[in-house]
Structures are given as structure tokens and as C-alpha cells.
Amino acid sequence: MARFEPAALPELLPVFYRRLFPHGAYGRWLGYGGVVKNYFQLREFSFTLRDDVYVRFQSFGSPQELERELHRTNPYKIDIGAVYSHRPNQHNTVHLGAFQPQEKELVFDIDMTDYDDVRTCCSSADICSKCWTLMTIAVRIIDRALVEDLGLKHRLWVYSGRRGVHCWVCDDAVRKWSPALRAATVEYLSLVKGGAETVKKVTLSEPIHPFIRRSVSVVEKYFESYALVGQDILGSPESWAKVLALVPEDIREALQAEFPKKRDSVHRWELLRGRMERTRKQAAAGKGAPCFADWEVMLQFCFPRLDINVSKGVGHLLKSPFSVHPKTGRISVPLDLQKLDQFDPFSVPTISSLCHELDAAGAAEEQEDGAGMEPEPEPKRRARGYKRTSLAPYVRLFELFVEDMERARRGELLRRSDLQGDF
Ligand SMILES: [Zn+2]
């Protein structure tokens, strides 16, 4: 695979925007069916250009105009902002205070750096296949809650290109949500509280909310292989001290005495969990108080950490799907939730690997053409370049997401016209 060198971006980006970026589906997504007039025109885009030149408040008359601008400026990174009261590129001409963000997708930004207190394999910007499981768990927990608890439908999950994931919730009603409603949603989805100085960040008491119960059962699926085997959180006295600090004192002492006799993290966890389950059984029979320290440990070590400011602010910018990550060269590709457990961030195509694949496909085709095949007209071949690269399945996922929204929109229109017919 062609190694990515940031220095090659000026050469690679024009190829990327001409032949690989899925302009068609992208424009259909952000146009939202043209139901609201000028919706696309009022959307803020921000570009990061060469030498970290950052331009905010870009806006375009149509997806085609955006495409032309991308061809012209070849941004290193694209961010998407809100839909404003006035065209963002004319915000200077509007009366002060009148220019306001009005709508945006509800977005979530989950970043591996926020898990540094519970990862032992890597820290800060580094990730590996072991800790990536934390992102898998985060997507599973948040997505389940969005669908089952909040009744939301159109979610696009995207790999950020480096060490995290983003979610774009695109339902019509949600895009109109106020900052207060967005903050309340993040609050509902947050269980891990407190900063570096807080030892115990999850405290549960009865009655246990169904959201917590369901989140625990998601974590349970991954906990043994991720936390007990992968991170080995009960592997040594130093590491189990961190876990036992979250357990009530009377049980802690007993476990501390027993842990050295057990073979490994898995067996030590069995012991700890057994103790907690016993308190719950006894409590159910009317003896003593139930203890949920096993659940609290599982949640503190695995529950998603959300960046509230990104989700709350309607005007907040977030890196666009299919933007390049300027440091890793990886494309922000949609995640297939059906195959989430198999997703490997290190196998996501980079801009260099894709351009390399294009070259290879082109060379193979030229040989075929030479053998008497009728070549496709040039512009058509260019526009669908991604189809001959490993970007194709990701573009297909994105198209399916957009098509799903379009189908829902048509259904809604039909329903409304039926209703009108009844009156
Ligand atoms: Zn790691």
C-alpha cells in the first residue's frame, strides 16, 4: 500500500476531488430533498487550506457550485457548520446580530483521547486495534439509545480519520432542535462524570434506569475480551488497585486478599462479580443494600465519553464525511453498523492508497483498450473513479443512507397528501 506523506497532498488532493469524492450523493444529502428552499445555500462550509489557512463561512448556491470550488481550492480538510438565517458568505452584509445559526444535524464526537484514564495500551493521539473496541462499544451504546430510546432514524456514523468517530443524526425534526434540547440529549447519554481528579466516575443506585441496564448489557459483550484479556485490568496489584478503588471498602478488603490467589484478570473478575451479584440477590430477599460496583467498573472503563460542546452548539463545526485527515491521509468514511465489530481503522484507505489504485486501474484499462475495447467517454470515467478503488463500498454505504432518507421523505409526502385527500 502506498505510504501517506503529508507533503504529497498538493499533488493528491486535485485527483481526490476530481475523481474520488462522491459529489453526487454528498449534494443530495445536504440538499435534504429541496423541501426547504435555499437550505443548501444557507449551509456553512469551512475549508482548511494549505499552511493551515482556515476559511470559515463559505457557502454555495448549489452542490455543483460547491464541487467547482472544491476543484479550484482543493482543501486539506472540509468542515460542515450550521444552516444559517442568511447565506454564510454574505454574513458581513447582514445587520449585526441578525446572522444566526438555525438548524443543524445533531452531532456526536467521540475521541479516544478522552479515554486515557482507562487505556493501558496507548495514550493521547495513538490508537491500536485493542483500544479501538472502545469506539465499537460507544457506537453500539449511543446508536441503540438514539433509535430505541429517542426514536431517531437517520444516523450516519463516520470514522474521523484518526482516533475517533462522529455521528450525524439527520432527522428533519432533530435538525431544528435548540441547544437546550441537544444538551439534554447528551446529558441523557452521559454516565461517566468528573475529571482527572475524580476517582469514582460512575455511581449507580436503585432503581436502575433501563438505559443503564441496556448499556451494561452492551458492554458485557465486549468486556472479557477487551478489558480483562486485552487491557488486563486486573493483571497486577497496581492495575487492580485502580479497579478496587471503585468497590465499597468492606468488599474491597476481602477481594484484595483473594486476588493474588487467582490466576488472571478473568478469574479475578469472576470473583468480584460474584460478590456483587450476591449483594443484589440478598437485597432482593430483603437483606442489606444491593451493590453495583461491577457495573460501575464496566461503565467507567468502557462507557462512551461525549464532547458536550460539539453536540450542544448549533453553530459548532464538525469534520465532513469523506474529508481527508491531513495528518493520517485517511478518508472519513461511513461505518457499516452491520459489520462494526470487524471495522479496522488501519485498513481505511488513505488518499495515497486510493490515488495509487486509480493509477493501477487506469494502466490495466489502457491495456484492455489497446486490445480493441471501446473506451468509455472521458468525463464519465473520471467522475466514477472511486468505483475502481477501495473507496467504493464506503460510497455505497453513504448512498444507501441518502436513499433511505429520500425514501422516508417520499413516504411522508404521500402520507400527507393522503391525509389531505381525506378532508
Ligand atoms: Zn491502544
Side-chain angles (χ1 to χ4, degrees):
M1 195 147 111
R3 236 185 89 80
F4 169 70
E5 293 290 346
L9 279 172
E11 204 180 305
L12 300 174
L13 285 164
V15 181
F16 178 72
Y17 287 118
R18 288 212 163 264
R19 306 190 55 192
L20 296 164
F21 192 89
H23 295 283
Y26 194 80
R28 277 158 60 203
W29 170 38
L30 293 174
Y32 286 103
V35 177
V36 178
K37 208 172 142 257
N38 299 337
Y39 206 74
F40 186 86
Q41 288 94 318
L42 298 171
R43 171 79 68 166
E44 178 189 3
F45 294 89
S46 288
F47 296 152
T48 306
L49 305 175
R50 208 175 170 163
D51 302 321
D52 283 329
V53 174
Y54 189 54
V55 242
R56 277 202 67 175
F57 299 121
Q58 305 291 295
S59 64
F60 304 95
S62 65
Q64 294 70 32
E65 199 183 302
L66 166 66
E67 182 176 349
R68 281 196 295 276
E69 189 63 7
L70 292 175
H71 289 169
R72 199 177 69 79
T73 55
N74 300 304
Y76 279 45
K77 181 156 89 79
I78 306 171
D79 287 288
I80 299 179
V83 173
Y84 279 82
S85 51
H86 303 78
R87 288 189 183 206
N89 63 357
Q90 297 168 3
H91 74 283
N92 284 330
T93 66
V94 178
H95 195 69
L96 196 69
F99 179 70
Q100 293 292 337
Q102 296 195 309
E103 291 195 15
K104 206 185 72 187
E105 295 74 13
L106 170 65
V107 295
F108 298 101
D109 180 10
I110 310 172
D111 191 306
M112 198 75 93
T113 49
D114 294 324
Y115 290 83
D116 276 359
D117 57 330
V118 290
R119 300 192 283 166
T120 53
C121 50
C122 321
S123 64
S124 66
D126 293 332
I127 60 162
C128 70
S129 58
K130 277 187 187 172
C131 51
W132 186 258
T133 306
L134 288 167
M135 291 297 134
T136 307
I137 296 172
V139 175
R140 292 268 184 241
I141 287 180
I142 302 296
D143 196 65
R144 188 211 61 78
L146 292 175
V147 174
E148 294 177 15
D149 303 356
L150 301 173
L152 306 179
K153 205 165 174 224
H154 303 290
R155 304 99 50 217
L156 180 67
W157 285 94
V158 180
Y159 170 52
S160 74
R162 192 178 195 186
R163 57 186 184 210
V165 293
H166 299 154
C167 178
W168 299 77
V169 185
C170 303
D171 298 40
D172 287 341
V174 174
R175 301 203 309 277
K176 300 183 202 310
W177 278 9
S178 66
L181 208 41
R182 291 165 199 257
T185 306
V186 178
E187 186 63 27
Y188 174 78
L189 298 171
S190 299
L191 286 180
V192 181
K193 305 276 168 77
E197 65 297 334
T198 314
V199 176
K200 196 168 166 69
K201 296 179 181 169
V202 181
T203 305
L204 304 179
S205 59
E206 285 202 299
I208 301 286
H209 192 280
F211 169 69
I212 295 174
R213 221 172 262 281
R214 291 185 188 128
S215 299
V216 167
S217 58
V218 173
V219 174
E220 252 162 7
K221 294 193 185 93
Y222 299 93
F223 194 72
E224 179 170 331
S225 69
Y226 161 71
L228 301 178
V229 178
Q231 304 285 333
D232 204 13
I233 63 167
L234 299 175
S236 68
E238 301 84 68
S239 52
W240 74 55
K242 266 178 86 179
V243 174
L244 289 179
L246 311 175
V247 174
E249 220 165 320
D250 50 325
I251 304 177
R252 184 189 310 158
E253 279 166 23
L255 290 174
Q256 215 138 26
E258 291 294 317
F259 270 8
K261 300 178 200 158
K262 296 284 173 188
R263 187 150 38 102
D264 54 22
S265 284
V266 175
H267 290 86
R268 290 179 191 121
W269 181 256
E270 256 171 36
L271 185 73
L272 186 156
R273 196 168 61 175
R275 291 287 161 97
M276 302 306 149
E277 278 170 356
R278 205 184 306 158
T279 70
R280 296 198 282 268
K281 267 197 197 118
Q282 286 170 342
K287 278 185 287 176
C291 181
F292 296 97
D294 50 343
W295 294 10
E296 290 165 347
V297 170
M298 288 167 75
L299 294 171
Q300 178 154 339
F301 277 76
C302 301
F303 190 85
R305 284 115 159 106
L306 302 174
D307 185 334
I308 185 160
N309 292 317
V310 174
S311 300
K312 191 174 71 179
V314 179
H316 213 289
L317 293 147
L318 189 66
K319 184 158 172 277
S320 167
F322 293 100
S323 178
V324 178
H325 195 293
K327 297 243 160 55
T328 62
R330 292 193 201 284
I331 314 300
S332 295
V333 291
L335 297 173
D336 184 353
L337 296 205
Q338 312 285 328
K339 298 180 191 156
L340 187 63
D341 292 4
Q342 286 86 52
F343 179 80
D344 172 11
F346 298 104
S347 70
V348 169
T350 66
I351 186 170
S352 345
S353 69
L354 292 172
C355 289
H356 187 76
E357 287 173 34
L358 267 186
D359 282 349
E365 211 158 78
E366 263 165 39
Q367 274 196 333
E368 279 177 26
D369 290 351
M373 299 270 289
E374 197 62 44
E376 256 188 285
E378 185 66 6
K380 235 180 173 178
R381 279 169 66 178
R382 281 180 166 276
R384 291 183 296 155
Y386 67 82
K387 288 201 168 175
R388 287 173 292 162
T389 69
S390 50
L391 194 62
Y394 300 105
V395 174
R396 189 62 204 134
L397 272 175
F398 184 56
E399 286 170 348
L400 287 172
F401 166 76
V402 175
E403 284 163 17
D404 211 41
M405 278 204 300
E406 289 171 342
R407 221 182 346 266
R409 205 176 290 131
R410 276 197 304 274
E412 179 60 19
L413 284 175
L414 272 175
R415 198 184 64 84
R416 278 196 211 161
S417 65
D418 277 1
L419 277 177
Q420 274 173 350
D422 287 344
F423 287 108

